Amino acid sequence: PSNGVLELIAPFEPLPLYPVMQRRGFSREARMVGPTEWIVSFRETGIVPDATLAAIAERHPGARAVFGKRGLDLCCGGSNTLDVVARANGIEVNTLIAELQAATMDARA
């Protein structure tokens, strides 16, 4: 569900899963709890390429700092999607998503 958490317990750190989940709008927290046990929590963020800047900023106020650092305009560009804004500004969309998701994690800490 929205704002839900998916917890995965694995015998290794599931590195190949991270970019897949990131593209689907999930941030992650991973911790090793034993020599062969990892617990990874994926949290749904809604930060995906087709989300608008305005929708992301409304749901995650900490995203505004990332937008400001990158020179992305919420006033006139808030109705544009991350994908459109990233391409227009020469930013790799997955890099921008990772920065935004990191900002949401920092805001919760």
Side-chain angles (χ1 to χ4, degrees):
S2 181
N3 292 321
V5 176
L6 168 68
E7 190 167 270
L8 173 70
I9 300 171
F12 57 89
E13 185 175 14
L15 295 174
L17 187 57
Y18 294 170
V20 173
M21 295 300 282
Q22 179 182 331
R23 282 190 301 274
R24 293 180 182 212
F26 288 82
S27 63
R28 71 173 185 278
E29 290 181 42
R31 64 187 185 281
M32 189 170 140
V33 295
T36 59
E37 186 173 3
W38 283 81
I39 297 177
V40 183
S41 298
F42 293 99
R43 183 172 305 280
E44 190 274 328
T45 64
I47 301 173
V48 292
D50 63 348
T52 65
L53 270 62
I56 293 168
E58 182 178 325
R59 184 169 174 188
H60 305 287
R64 292 177 183 273
V66 175
F67 294 149
K69 179 183 87 172
R70 288 292 197 158
L72 304 178
D73 182 14
L74 277 170
C75 175
C76 300
S79 63
N80 291 322
T81 65
L82 276 182
D83 189 47
V84 167
V85 170
R87 280 188 283 128
N89 288 279
I91 304 168
E92 164 57 43
V93 72
N94 290 330
T95 300
L96 184 55
I97 289 171
E99 289 176 20
L100 290 164
Q101 288 180 343
T104 67
M105 297 297 287
D106 292 344
R108 289 184 318 126

